[in-house]
């Protein structure tokens, strides 16, 4: 079992205080957006034996176990993060597995460098993900019912948005959503910038349900993603609640601290709230234009005290243990690889004390007992 040395990514949207507060260290004044735990080559966790990705590459069956290797290949199939949003992330969507493989192969064949700004597919994997709130957490997830969005947009009183209101009241709903998003992303940039400014001022005056979009415009003035964001469900999570994001579901995280787990991929198609490349044709091919409730997840308790966040994805399984002082040890020995992350208290995993923010990698089959009081997240796979 290996204590992990993690990397914190300083993306501009990161909070300057949330991750330092979790770790109990002084803020640096710089944004600290994501703390990565895993074997992703972009920022693999360190161990006393060396970088985690190199340990797995050297003996994948020993580290991951035969069931995981047979099902997912000789790589850790998930990436665990602590995510701290101090400003909105880009409005984005992820491809399904077939789309990721085809898109990656096409860009490879075209000779587009993986680090090129206009590259869309960084790898051949899909990226389902789950975010579990550690603090009150705000985000956008999936399309709101178009008629409800029409009411929201109409209340702004912006003449340039009236055609979109009419479209949103048309049927079928999927075609209406597609037409509106396409129009927003292909409109004249200067005209759209003026519309966004007018809509943001109206949203600021109205407040209430319109307030989040005034805030978005503060961070991203002139960005058509501010209007596109109005198409989505606005969600507020309380600590312990979670959102699952499958392929094709547009989403954005706006504010808060959470534990995030995903398939080990970096494939992101952006549709707004970003200065980065927006591949409109590919985006429109990937997005699922289906209005739906965002489906807030709450953990399901088991007799062992493990609280599981149930998702349809096998590449990861996230659960947590909220342990009281004096609780009996919990046996976490499994035939699959695990990462354990403490977020509160002073729990002990396999004899290794874990303060908040501390994590360990547990190889497949390694005996591990969880003791002590605190809250621990457990990341593993379904194999």
């Amino acid at each position: 079992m290996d204590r992990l040395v993690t990397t914190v990514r300083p993306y501009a949207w990161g909070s300057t205080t949330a991750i330092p507060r979790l770790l109990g260290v002084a803020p640096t004044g710089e944004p600290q957006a994501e703390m990565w735990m895993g074997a992703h080559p972009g920022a693999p966790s360190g161990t006393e034996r060396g970088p985690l990705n190199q340990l797995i590459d050297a003996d994948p069956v020993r580290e991951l176990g035969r069931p995981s290797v047979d099902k997912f290949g000789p790589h850790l199939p998930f990436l665990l993060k602590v995510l701290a949003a101090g400003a909105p992330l880009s409005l984005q969507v992820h491809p399904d597995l077939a789309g990721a493989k085809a898109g990656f192969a096409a860009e490879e064949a075209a000779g587009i460098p993986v680090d090129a700004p206009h590259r869309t597919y960084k790898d051949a994997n899909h990226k389902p993900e789950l975010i579990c709130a550690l603090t009150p957490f705000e985000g956008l997830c999936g399309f709101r019912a178009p008629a409800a969005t029409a009411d929201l947009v109409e209340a702004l009183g912006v003449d340039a948005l009236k055609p979109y209101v009419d479209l949103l009241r048309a049927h079928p709903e999927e075609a209406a959503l597609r037409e509106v998003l396409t129009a927003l992303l292909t409109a004249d940039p200067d005209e759209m910038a003026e519309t966004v400014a007018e809509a943001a001022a109206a949203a600021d005056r109205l407040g209430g349900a319109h307030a989040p979009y005034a805030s978005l415009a503060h961070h991203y003035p002139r960005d058509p993603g501010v209007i596109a964001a109005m198409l989505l469900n606005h969600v507020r999570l309380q600590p312990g609640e979670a959102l699952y994001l499958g392929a094709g579901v547009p989403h954005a995280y706006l504010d808060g601290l959470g534990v995030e787990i995903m398939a080990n991929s970096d494939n992101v198609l952006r549709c707004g709230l970003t200065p980065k490349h927006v591949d409109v044709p590919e985006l429109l091919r990937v997005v699922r234009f289906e209005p739906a409730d965002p489906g807030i997840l709450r953990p399901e308790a088991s007799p062992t005290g493990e609280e599981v966040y149930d998702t349809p994805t096998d590449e990861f399984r996230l659960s947590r243990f909220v342990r009281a002082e004096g609780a009996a040890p919990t046996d976490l020995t499994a035939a699959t690889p695990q990462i354990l992350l403490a977020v509160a208290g002073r729990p002990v995993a396999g004899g290794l004390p874990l303060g908040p923010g501390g994590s360990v990698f547990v190889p497949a089959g390694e005996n591990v007992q969880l003791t002590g009081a605190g809250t621990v997240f457990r990341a593993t796979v379904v194999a």
Side-chain angles (χ1 to χ4, degrees):
M1 190 166 62
D2 301 278
R3 188 185 299 276
L4 296 180
V5 179
T6 56
T7 297
V8 176
R9 310 306 292 263
Y11 305 138
W13 49 262
S15 168
T16 59
T17 58
I19 288 178
R21 188 181 300 121
L22 173 69
L23 300 177
V25 300
T28 64
E30 298 298 318
Q32 298 187 41
E34 295 181 347
M35 185 171 75
W36 288 23
M37 290 146 284
H40 192 287
S45 298
T47 75
E48 289 186 355
R49 297 187 289 151
L52 184 57
N53 60 330
Q54 293 183 15
L55 298 183
I56 292 171
D57 288 345
D59 195 345
V61 172
R62 178 179 180 274
E63 301 295 335
L64 305 177
R66 175 56 65 187
S68 182
V69 171
D70 286 349
K71 189 167 185 176
F72 304 111
H75 312 288
L76 186 67
F78 64 83
L79 175 63
L80 184 67
K81 301 179 180 179
V82 173
L83 182 147
L89 283 67
S90 62
L91 191 61
Q92 59 188 254
V93 69
H94 307 302
D96 62 18
L97 186 56
K101 288 180 177 178
F104 180 77
E107 290 189 318
E108 287 287 282
I112 303 172
V114 166
D115 58 355
H118 61 291
R119 175 94 182 213
T120 298
Y121 291 96
K122 309 295 186 183
D123 53 65
N125 200 14
H126 63 164
K127 193 188 176 190
E129 62 189 42
L130 177 79
I131 182 79
C132 178
L134 294 178
T135 67
F137 195 94
E138 189 176 1
L140 304 168
C141 178
F143 287 110
R144 182 193 286 116
T149 298
D151 293 341
L152 184 83
V153 174
E154 186 174 44
L156 295 171
V158 177
D159 287 343
L161 293 177
K162 288 181 180 178
Y164 301 114
V165 172
D166 293 338
L167 284 171
L168 287 166
R169 292 202 168 114
H171 289 278
E173 292 182 325
E174 292 82 358
L177 289 168
R178 177 182 290 276
E179 193 165 349
V180 170
L181 185 61
T182 302
L184 289 171
L185 297 181
T186 57
D188 177 86
D190 292 332
E191 291 180 6
M192 184 53 66
E194 294 178 8
T195 301
V196 170
E198 190 176 349
D204 194 40
R205 288 194 306 271
L206 291 168
H210 293 85
Y213 310 104
S215 176
L216 286 177
H218 171 75
H219 290 285
Y220 297 100
R222 306 173 62 87
D223 192 318
V226 173
I227 309 299
M230 296 182 187
L231 300 173
L232 306 188
N233 296 293
H234 179 244
V235 183
R236 288 188 175 93
L237 301 178
Q238 295 305 310
E241 295 179 335
L243 283 175
Y244 172 74
L245 291 312
V249 177
H251 61 280
Y253 302 143
L254 305 181
D255 183 71
L257 181 71
V259 173
E260 185 182 34
I261 190 168
M262 62 195 64
N264 200 20
S265 171
D266 198 26
N267 283 325
V268 176
L269 289 91
R270 297 175 178 85
C271 31
L273 309 180
T274 178
K276 296 182 179 180
H277 174 59
V278 177
D279 184 345
V280 175
E282 186 66 7
L283 173 72
L284 295 174
R285 191 189 68 78
V286 169
V287 170
R288 292 171 55 190
F289 290 95
E290 300 173 4
D293 183 276
I296 294 174
L297 289 177
R298 295 172 181 86
E300 299 178 7
S302 72
T304 64
E306 184 176 25
E307 300 176 342
V308 180
Y309 293 90
D310 187 35
T311 76
T313 298
D314 288 349
E315 282 94 338
F316 61 75
R317 177 183 182 273
L318 187 71
S319 60
R320 70 173 184 175
F321 295 86
V322 182
R323 294 180 52 83
E325 196 70 48
T330 302
D331 182 11
L332 299 186
T333 306
T336 52
Q338 304 178 69
I339 291 178
L340 306 178
L341 165 67
V343 297
R346 296 286 171 181
V348 178
L352 293 177
L354 299 178
S359 58
V360 294
F361 173 74
V362 184
E366 186 80 10
N367 181 274
V368 58
Q369 303 291 313
L370 185 63
T371 60
T375 300
V376 174
F377 281 86
R378 180 193 201 188
T380 185
V381 302
V382 179

